Amino acid sequence: MATNSPATDSGGGIAQVTFRVRCETLGHGEAIFLSQADNPSGSRIPLFTTAKSYPWYTTRTPLSLPLPATPNNKTYRYRYAINRAGIFHRWEEPSDGGGIEEFRAQQTINSSGNIAVHTVPLRLLHGGEIYTVNDVLGVTGGPPDIDHIKMRNNFSSVGSLARKNASAGSLYGLNSRNNSAVGMTDQGSKKKVGFAPQPPPTSHRSSEAGAIKQAVHLTSSDGLIVVSAFLPVHLTRSNDGEWSADWDYEALLSMQTHLRVTRVGTVKWRGWHGNVGGGKSDESGVPVDERHKVEAVLRPFNCVPVWVPTTLFGEMYNGFCKGVLWPILHNVASVYSTPQTGGNTEKPDPDKDIEPYDSQYAEYSMDDVAQGPIHGDGGREGELWAAFTAVNRHFTDVIIQCFNEGDLIWIHGFHLMILPSFLTRRISMAKIGIFLHTPFPSSEIFRTLWCREDLLRGMLNADQVGFHLFEYARHFLTCCRRLLGLNYGMFPDSSGGHNLAIDTNGRHVSVTSIHAGVEPPVLHQVLSHKSTCDRVASIRNQFRGKVIFAAIDRMESLKGIPLKLIALERFLQRCPEWAGKIVVVQVGISAFERGDDYTKTRNEIISMVTNINNRWPGTVQFQECAESEMRLQQRMALLRAADVVMVTTIRDGLNLIPLEFTIAHLDALTEQGRNDGRKRGLCILSEFSSCTRVMRGALHVNPWKISEIATAFYQALTMSEDERMRRISIASEFVTRVTTQRWALAVMLDLKGVQKNEDAGKYAGAGLGLGFRLLGMDSKFNSLDANSVARAYRSAKSRLILLDYGGTILANDNLDQLQRFQFVKKSRPPSVPTEGLISTLKELCSDHRNIVFVVSGKERHSLTKTLCHIPNLGLAAEHGMFVSWPTPKVGGKRRWETLVPDQDRSWRSIATMIMEVYTSRTHGSYIEETEMKVLWQYRDADPEFGYLQSRELEDHLSNVLRGFSVDILHGGVEEGGYVEVRPKGVNKGVVSMHIIKNMEKIFNKGKLEFALVIGDDHCDEPMLSVMRQVGRRASEAHIAKKGGQPLAPLPATIAQVDVSSCDEYISSNLKCFTSTVGKKPTAAANYVNDVEDVHELLESLVKVTTRETVHSGFYSVVDLKTMDDTPTSPGPEAVKFDAQTSWQRSLSMCQLHTPDMSGEPTDARVSNNLDDFLGTMEEDGEDDDNFF
């Protein structure tokens, strides 16, 4: 080993290094010190911790490490000493690391004293830069975990800066020694991520530090909660009741890391699936009185078990997940198969009689793989769904207990698809990712599920959704588009690049597709184990002189085992000379959870194997075993002994067997491997398996085409040496480059890089049950405060109220697509305002200080028919194209004026003619014409085809109508799906500014002091945006006069418009209230829940006006709430004098006032006591300031 002596050669500069070590085994009164290994008697540097950073201990100041000019293999060697009561006690020991890493890389041991030593290769450091080295006490195996804290400012590009900022090794303890560089260097790449250090840049150009975008990195202080259906551990229980645990190293999530990782999941123990066993025993899962022992055993592994009743978990796992979701996710939905009752608690009888094997294999010519209750079977699906949601709730409770602020939550598997919905309700600010290890079906298959929307919304409540292949991601995106009407695309991220994401409710849900790998160090250690070598030799001796084809599959229809055997039979028929020279070792893993499908597949395989062996003895070696009997060690022995591996699945998700096989035969590329006389290392791989996209060196086959599999047998046996070496080399490139650690790191970097505002107020929840969804919006987006509106309304002398029509003051007729079509074709009458609404509008318009406008997208005749009899009500039709100013006259025709000159309408016939062509080519589309606009609606068409047609139509119209003064607008599927042509410069925002500018001229009003604007959909956003900016300018003018603090910037949802032309018409004391109906992303500052809330708000304003005009008494809050047009009897507490008495008394404020001049006694409701009234008042020094 090359030792270091950095002090003697500092030609490479000096690096500043801070050392951090995770110490969880220190006792009271013990302290940790860092000591140079080559100078144990030298000074020792203390490390410190705080309550917040514990269990991490850190040097108070960085250490200066001189770097040699040519570092080569020189290292800095050090170790940690533990002092007790200020006196040296001992050196660190491997047991300090927990002693639970069975396959940890070999410890670096000092020959004198057997003391573990940490090493930092000096070639990883560069002079003038700052680093942090992260250690775990007692753990010295693997490369160091180095965080690059500060860089020089003279890098040539952002790409080189990111390469330099990369960690010196993987963050995980089990790391490949082959640290090839994997980084994105292009300046326009999505994220600047590196996994290995790069040499110093050759060119240096100064750049502004502020212009450099920092790369996303995971540091040792980052917390991570990994959630899976099962914990990656094996539990054992001795006869005396003692429990022990070991890592399940073949589990994808068992990798070790220096991150603060907590793993959450259930434990596999006898009866975990709810089965009572063949003997009808009562044993089911871990006994309740021993759960505390299991928790204690799992604590050193940082694993937290989720205790779910076994019968409930069995219903979820066997019934819903395997019986319902599993076939659907694998693109299987047959209406011909007999549904099985999921959640079967009895293991299927493997000896059950099944129809004899059909040589033509008729079953596989139809899509009738056995199903669960996908299409419903008498209510059973409801029970399974209830079990599925209940188990996800159990997981939620445990995760909440383990969660710390800032932790990342990474969910794995389709078993927990709705878990993000439950989590976002309670920890909305957590960054949540979900990764599916199964395929995702096409939308036509997925839509057959009755719970399809709930599953999609559950996944979309996460911040990141991950798949192994883009093919699966593409299907997921299509499902979201077709079933939920959501858009997706490339959206900018915080690192200056772009992410593929789904736009939902003001949030961007990132979609990642990264295929997982395997861990070469773990596999090499298993392969080198003596028991593995003995097993390999035994298998080779058993089939001496034969070419071994190996296959390991679960025994279910989806794995395509019968297709493989049919192909073998055809190959031997056509090439009989190979009979007796090859053997197919088929290992079948029992799949009891698949019920009758397992039994049927098993009996078919046995029948086919018998027939083949009767004709060609010894050709197929079939062995069925439980999953526990084919673990990593047994599997690697078989793969090492085999010459060719076969995977002929008809639909498969993550399958690591071809990757493990490639690792087992990497030595075939060496000189010794080439001369061993074996033609080994080839994979025959189904094109329907996920790893076929990354295993480019394999022989890819279509398992449904029997002749292709038979040809693959022949190719594997007769392939030339050069081609075989080339294929093995290509296959080995992926497995050695993309390991499990690198896959996890890439996904975690994407998750950490998700843009999620730290302000919890920016996110709001909407919806009940599993319809809950997380909305992204302005952090100050709150329910409209009716009290504030009333207070501002009362004090203002010039008021403007702008109201949308449908969906705001009237129920929206456009919610149902059929209703919309019927309205357009005039086969269904529209909704009309209620008598109460008409009365409220009349009262508001009767106040001379009010200007009330209904601004609608409907035509003039529709508004005239329902609202023309209201005096002093202004109307704006077709988004403001036509304006009818308030007039006291009612009954006759209203006078309308146009917002823009209405001269040339010849464009309408041209636009209609073009739209008719697209209507004939797009089923479900239709044309909607009004007085001033023409719309092509495609809301009922196929979402994707309709969108493509709309884009083409938009381009066509833009070219043809270039010479006309028109605007061409395109609303996406979420806005209804339309292409609209209207006169240029017409929208509700423009008409709202037009109304403000004409207030003084037409109504003789002073400057505007109060504005209330309410809308409900995207057509109202221009009006809400303009009025909010008008109010903003008034507030800024008011602040400028008084010298107050500047206002926070407006949210990005507001389209910036120049509203300065309205400045002379508005008061600096303007109070502007903008609100949308329903909680959703909007330009409005507030929201109301529904149309009824709008009615209640308007009625409250009427009561404020009534209170000011009535001369019969002083009314309290209770009075305003309950006041209506029907007089009520006075309460028993009211003291009322006769008609000749000139005074009347109200107990609410003990005030005397003059009765009504008519002499008629006035009935009034009053507060029952003083507390009823005073309890509603704010302590702001203003009398009667609070109305509601």
Side-chain angles (χ1 to χ4, degrees):
M1 175 182 294
T3 60
N4 67 310
S5 181
T8 62
D9 180 9
S10 59
I14 296 177
Q16 302 295 321
V17 182
T18 299
F19 289 86
R20 300 173 71 239
V21 60
R22 186 181 181 96
C23 309
E24 297 184 354
T25 57
L26 290 186
H28 292 287
E30 293 184 340
I32 187 79
F33 288 80
L34 184 142
S35 174
Q36 187 173 345
D38 299 323
N39 187 18
S41 60
S43 61
R44 295 171 183 164
I45 302 169
L47 287 84
F48 303 90
T49 189
T50 64
K52 184 177 181 180
S53 61
Y54 179 82
W56 287 95
Y57 290 73
T58 311
T59 55
R60 181 161 292 175
T61 58
L63 276 67
S64 298
L65 293 187
L67 305 177
T70 55
N72 297 330
N73 293 326
K74 295 184 179 180
T75 60
Y76 178 75
R77 304 170 68 248
Y78 61 97
R79 56 192 175 189
Y80 292 101
I82 298 165
N83 284 16
R84 178 176 291 178
I87 302 174
F88 174 77
H89 175 57
R90 62 178 176 86
W91 296 105
E92 61 178 320
E93 299 173 353
S95 60
D96 291 323
I100 60 176
E101 299 177 356
E102 178 184 354
F103 291 118
R104 189 186 303 280
Q106 292 294 325
Q107 303 285 332
T108 302
I109 303 298
N110 189 315
S111 59
S112 59
N114 294 327
I115 300 173
V117 174
H118 301 263
T119 60
V120 175
L122 297 182
R123 60 182 175 82
L124 303 180
L125 309 180
H126 299 281
E129 301 184 14
I130 301 176
Y131 302 86
T132 296
V133 176
N134 305 282
D135 295 316
V136 175
L137 192 67
V139 177
T140 58
D145 179 8
I146 302 177
D147 297 330
H148 201 161
I149 306 302
K150 184 177 180 181
M151 298 145 292
R152 294 171 294 191
N153 293 330
N154 54 356
F155 289 100
S156 59
S157 66
V158 175
S160 62
L161 208 162
R163 293 195 302 270
K164 193 69 183 65
N165 200 23
S167 173
S170 174
L171 294 176
Y172 300 88
L174 293 175
N175 194 4
S176 172
R177 298 295 182 183
N178 183 10
N179 284 324
S180 59
V182 181
M184 299 181 186
T185 61
D186 187 6
Q187 193 169 355
S189 59
K190 181 179 72 172
K191 286 203 171 51
K192 311 300 184 286
V193 177
F195 297 94
Q198 301 295 323
T202 56
S203 61
H204 307 281
R205 288 184 302 176
S206 60
S207 58
E208 292 294 330
I212 297 176
K213 293 185 178 294
Q214 292 295 327
V216 179
H217 285 282
L218 289 174
T219 65
S220 302
S221 60
D222 284 317
L224 175 63
I225 299 178
V226 180
V227 188
S228 56
F230 303 104
L231 290 173
V233 293
H234 289 303
L235 284 178
T236 55
R237 184 178 183 272
S238 62
N239 294 331
D240 55 358
E242 294 299 322
W243 293 83
S244 61
D246 294 296
W247 283 118
D248 180 5
Y249 282 98
E250 65 179 294
L252 195 65
L253 305 178
S254 65
M255 68 193 101
Q256 303 308 299
T257 172
H258 289 167
L259 297 178
R260 177 168 51 85
V261 177
T262 303
R263 293 175 173 84
V264 175
T266 60
V267 294
K268 278 190 176 182
W269 185 247
R270 285 193 293 268
W272 61 267
H273 38 57
N275 291 348
V276 296
K280 304 293 183 182
S281 65
D282 295 331
E283 183 177 18
S284 182
V286 177
V288 176
D289 57 348
E290 295 188 24
R291 288 180 178 176
H292 68 281
K293 296 182 180 179
V294 175
E295 292 173 355
V297 168
L298 295 176
R299 198 167 294 123
F301 295 78
N302 291 325
C303 290
V304 179
V306 180
W307 300 115
V308 181
T310 54
T311 53
L312 178 66
F313 192 83
E315 289 278 285
M316 184 277 292
Y317 186 82
N318 295 329
F320 189 78
C321 293
K322 289 295 186 179
V324 177
L325 286 183
W326 183 261
I328 286 292
L329 292 176
H330 288 78
N331 260 349
V332 177
S334 173
V335 296
Y336 298 106
S337 61
T338 302
Q340 64 186 28
T341 57
N344 185 18
T345 58
E346 293 289 343
K347 288 185 179 181
D349 183 5
D351 298 324
K352 179 180 178 181
D353 292 334
I354 296 290
E355 298 178 6
Y357 164 67
D358 185 350
S359 60
Q360 298 301 317
Y361 202 53
E363 290 83 4
Y364 276 87
S365 64
M366 299 183 296
D367 188 15
D368 67 346
V369 177
Q371 301 298 292
I374 296 174
H375 306 289
D377 62 332
R380 177 60 174 160
E381 70 276 8
E383 299 175 8
L384 301 180
W385 176 252
F388 183 70
T389 56
V391 172
N392 277 261
R393 289 181 187 275
H394 277 81
F395 273 81
T396 303
D397 295 336
V398 176
I399 294 170
I400 296 298
Q401 297 172 14
C402 301
F403 179 77
N404 293 307
E405 185 177 356
D407 285 355
L408 305 176
I409 300 178
W410 196 16
I411 303 169
H412 289 263
F414 67 101
H415 319 85
L416 306 172
M417 289 175 72
I418 61 174
L419 182 56
S421 284
F422 297 128
L423 290 175
T424 51
R425 283 179 178 270
R426 301 167 67 176
I427 45 175
S428 60
M429 291 315 303
K431 291 185 177 181
I432 302 173
I434 181 170
F435 202 102
L436 295 191
H437 302 282
T438 57
F440 201 87
S442 67
S443 60
E444 294 305 305
I445 299 295
F446 191 78
R447 72 191 311 155
T448 61
L449 281 172
W450 79 88
C451 51
R452 59 193 187 185
E453 288 89 357
D454 292 332
L455 294 174
L456 287 178
R457 290 195 184 101
M459 297 176 68
L460 289 174
N461 277 320
D463 301 293
Q464 179 204 48
V465 180
F467 301 91
H468 287 291
L469 292 182
F470 178 72
E471 175 187 345
Y472 308 153
R474 176 170 54 84
H475 288 163
F476 174 70
L477 295 171
T478 305
C479 286
C480 293
R481 178 67 180 273
R482 290 178 171 272
L483 301 181
L484 301 181
L486 302 177
N487 283 334
Y488 59 86
M490 302 300 294
F491 296 96
D493 61 11
S494 58
S495 298
H498 288 76
N499 272 334
L500 177 62
I502 298 173
D503 186 9
T504 170
N505 299 310
R507 300 168 50 241
H508 290 159
V509 179
S510 176
V511 178
T512 301
S513 55
I514 305 175
H515 199 284
V518 293
E519 278 305 313
V522 176
L523 300 183
H524 286 315
Q525 191 152 348
V526 172
L527 288 170
S528 62
H529 198 273
K530 183 178 183 302
S531 60
T532 305
C533 297
D534 293 343
R535 178 60 179 161
V536 171
S538 174
I539 297 174
R540 294 298 304 175
N541 289 332
Q542 182 180 355
F543 305 108
R544 184 181 298 275
K546 293 184 178 182
V547 178
I548 302 176
F549 290 77
I552 304 173
D553 303 286
R554 298 185 68 83
M555 287 199 291
E556 57 177 312
S557 302
L558 287 170
K559 299 306 178 182
I561 303 176
L563 297 175
K564 183 189 313 170
L565 297 177
I566 294 174
L568 173 63
E569 186 176 11
R570 180 172 298 183
F571 166 70
L572 292 177
Q573 287 173 350
R574 295 183 176 180
C575 303
E577 67 274 11
W578 287 101
K581 298 179 182 179
I582 66 171
V583 61
V584 175
V585 180
Q586 175 66 61
V587 177
I589 307 296
S590 301
F592 295 109
E593 72 278 1
R594 292 297 300 137
D596 291 340
D597 181 35
Y598 157 69
T599 305
K600 175 183 176 181
T601 304
R602 177 182 180 275
N603 289 342
E604 284 178 342
I605 293 171
I606 293 175
S607 176
M608 296 176 70
V609 168
T610 302
N611 291 338
I612 294 174
N613 284 335
N614 287 339
R615 187 170 181 181
W616 299 284
T619 300
V620 181
Q621 182 74 24
F622 173 70
Q623 176 187 355
E624 180 181 3
C625 63
E627 188 174 3
S628 58
E629 299 174 1
M630 187 53 63
R631 309 303 299 179
L632 182 62
Q633 191 169 358
Q634 294 85 2
R635 192 166 67 242
M636 291 305 297
L638 176 59
L639 296 178
R640 173 65 178 177
D643 299 299
V644 181
V645 71
M646 298 189 69
V647 176
T648 57
T649 177
I650 61 176
R651 189 71 176 173
D652 203 1
L654 179 64
N655 191 332
L656 296 179
I657 289 179
L659 282 69
E660 294 171 346
F661 176 81
T662 302
I663 291 292
H665 293 275
L666 283 178
D667 63 329
L669 297 172
T670 65
E671 189 66 28
Q672 181 180 357
R674 293 188 181 189
N675 298 328
D676 62 4
R678 295 173 56 189
K679 292 187 175 183
R680 59 191 177 97
L682 286 177
C683 300
I684 298 177
L685 190 55
S686 167
E687 64 184 40
F688 298 107
S689 178
S690 68
C691 59
T692 191
R693 300 293 187 273
V694 297
M695 297 293 290
R696 294 175 295 136
L699 291 171
H700 297 161
V701 297
N702 178 3
W704 295 103
K705 191 172 183 180
I706 303 301
S707 60
E708 277 196 14
I709 306 179
T711 302
F713 274 104
Y714 182 79
Q715 286 181 288
L717 292 169
T718 61
M719 184 176 294
S720 66
E721 185 71 9
D722 290 341
E723 183 180 358
R724 186 171 63 88
M725 290 296 104
R726 181 176 59 83
R727 287 181 175 273
I728 297 175
S729 177
I730 294 174
S732 64
E733 185 270 337
F734 176 81
V735 297
T736 56
R737 176 176 57 86
V738 181
T739 62
T740 306
Q741 305 142 17
R742 292 175 182 272
W743 162 75
L745 177 61
V747 178
M748 286 296 93
L749 286 173
D750 280 350
L751 177 57
K752 187 177 180 181
V754 167
Q755 299 183 61
K756 196 161 190 179
N757 198 297
E758 295 181 358
D759 182 4
K762 181 162 177 68
Y763 300 96
L768 299 175
L770 290 173
F772 177 84
R773 56 200 181 278
L774 194 64
L775 311 179
M777 53 192 62
D778 183 10
S779 59
K780 296 182 180 179
F781 185 72
N782 300 314
S783 176
L784 184 63
D785 183 10
N787 182 66
S788 300
V789 176
R791 183 166 59 246
Y793 178 85
R794 184 196 64 171
S795 60
K797 297 180 181 179
S798 177
R799 310 164 180 154
L800 175 63
I801 300 175
L802 301 178
L803 303 171
D804 177 44
Y805 187 64
T808 301
I809 62 174
L810 199 64
N812 197 339
D813 290 326
N814 295 336
L815 293 179
D816 183 83
Q817 295 178 345
L818 177 60
Q819 289 183 11
R820 172 72 180 182
F821 179 76
Q822 290 173 334
F823 291 145
V824 172
K825 300 303 179 182
K826 297 181 174 56
S827 61
R828 181 188 182 98
S831 301
V832 296
T834 62
E835 297 259 341
L837 175 61
I838 296 295
S839 175
T840 300
L841 292 175
K842 285 182 177 179
E843 291 288 345
L844 287 174
C845 294
S846 65
D847 192 328
H848 68 279
R849 291 171 292 183
N850 292 349
I851 298 176
V852 183
F853 261 86
V854 173
V855 185
S856 173
K858 290 186 175 294
E859 297 178 81
R860 286 187 289 179
H861 66 83
S862 297
L863 293 181
T864 302
K865 182 178 180 180
T866 56
L867 299 176
C868 70
H869 58 284
I870 301 177
N872 297 315
L873 176 65
L875 301 176
E878 299 209 32
H879 305 290
M881 178 61 191
F882 299 102
V883 179
S884 177
W885 297 100
T887 175
K889 298 180 181 179
V890 297
K893 290 186 177 180
R894 298 200 62 142
R895 180 179 177 183
W896 295 85
E897 67 178 48
T898 58
L899 186 62
V900 297
D902 181 18
Q903 297 175 350
D904 184 9
R905 292 198 182 187
S906 59
W907 58 266
R908 291 174 55 87
S909 59
I910 300 175
T912 303
M913 182 175 60
I914 296 174
M915 289 180 180
E916 286 176 350
V917 175
Y918 285 85
T919 302
S920 64
R921 299 189 331 197
T922 311
H923 299 300
S925 64
Y926 55 91
I927 300 174
E928 178 182 350
E929 294 188 65
T930 66
E931 288 184 82
M932 290 305 298
K933 64 178 183 288
V934 182
L935 290 88
W936 185 74
Q937 294 276 2
Y938 65 94
R939 63 172 65 200
D940 297 328
D942 180 275
E944 293 183 82
F945 182 67
Y947 180 75
L948 293 175
Q949 291 288 82
S950 67
R951 293 299 300 270
E952 184 179 344
L953 173 61
E954 185 181 7
D955 291 340
H956 195 165
L957 291 171
S958 299
N959 292 328
V960 175
L961 302 179
R962 184 179 302 149
F964 295 91
S965 180
V966 294
D967 287 329
I968 300 173
L969 309 178
H970 187 188
V973 176
E974 67 275 9
E975 289 103 11
Y978 65 88
V979 176
E980 177 181 346
V981 184
R982 66 166 71 158
K984 184 178 289 292
V986 176
N987 62 57
K988 292 187 178 182
V990 175
V991 76
S992 62
M993 294 174 62
H994 183 65
I995 294 171
I996 292 175
K997 294 175 184 178
N998 286 275
M999 285 181 59
E1000 291 189 31
K1001 180 174 66 175
I1002 297 180
F1003 307 103
N1004 297 319
K1005 304 287 185 184
K1007 291 188 175 183
L1008 184 62
E1009 297 180 359
F1010 172 87
L1012 174 64
V1013 187
I1014 307 178
D1016 76 301
D1017 62 10
H1018 68 282
C1019 295
D1020 303 314
E1021 290 301 302
M1023 178 174 66
L1024 295 169
S1025 180
V1026 164
M1027 293 305 299
R1028 189 169 179 185
Q1029 292 176 75
V1030 168
R1032 167 82 172 204
R1033 290 183 67 86
S1035 300
E1036 289 175 344
H1038 183 73
I1039 290 175
K1041 287 182 179 179
K1042 296 190 174 182
Q1045 294 291 330
L1047 299 175
L1050 289 172
T1053 52
I1054 297 181
Q1056 297 297 320
V1057 180
D1058 183 9
V1059 297
S1060 58
S1061 59
C1062 299
D1063 289 352
E1064 60 180 294
Y1065 306 102
I1066 62 176
S1067 168
S1068 61
N1069 296 320
L1070 170 67
K1071 302 295 183 183
C1072 184
F1073 299 89
T1074 56
S1075 176
T1076 185
V1077 179
K1079 190 185 293 186
K1080 54 182 175 284
T1082 177
N1086 304 99
Y1087 69 91
V1088 293
N1089 291 318
D1090 47 35
V1091 174
E1092 286 72 19
D1093 282 358
V1094 177
H1095 292 177
E1096 184 177 345
L1097 175 63
L1098 297 178
E1099 291 168 3
S1100 300
L1101 298 182
V1102 170
K1103 293 173 185 177
V1104 172
T1105 304
T1106 304
R1107 174 191 174 281
E1108 294 177 345
T1109 56
V1110 158
H1111 301 288
S1112 59
F1114 192 103
Y1115 294 91
S1116 70
V1117 174
V1118 178
D1119 302 335
L1120 294 174
K1121 283 285 190 181
T1122 57
M1123 186 186 299
D1124 54 28
D1125 295 335
T1126 305
T1128 58
S1129 301
E1133 295 87 353
V1135 178
K1136 183 167 65 175
F1137 297 89
D1138 56 30
Q1140 288 75 25
T1141 306
S1142 59
W1143 300 102
Q1144 205 172 31
R1145 189 176 185 183
S1146 168
L1147 291 184
S1148 62
M1149 288 296 287
C1150 298
Q1151 299 272 345
L1152 297 177
H1153 54 274
T1154 306
D1156 187 38
M1157 296 303 295
S1158 65
E1160 294 294 326
T1162 304
D1163 293 337
R1165 294 189 61 180
V1166 299
S1167 300
N1168 291 333
N1169 53 59
L1170 186 62
D1171 291 337
D1172 287 349
F1173 177 71
L1174 295 181
T1176 65
M1177 298 181 63
E1178 295 179 351
E1179 298 179 359
D1180 55 359
E1182 295 184 21
D1183 293 338
D1184 193 26
D1185 197 30
N1186 217 349
F1187 284 91
F1188 308 105

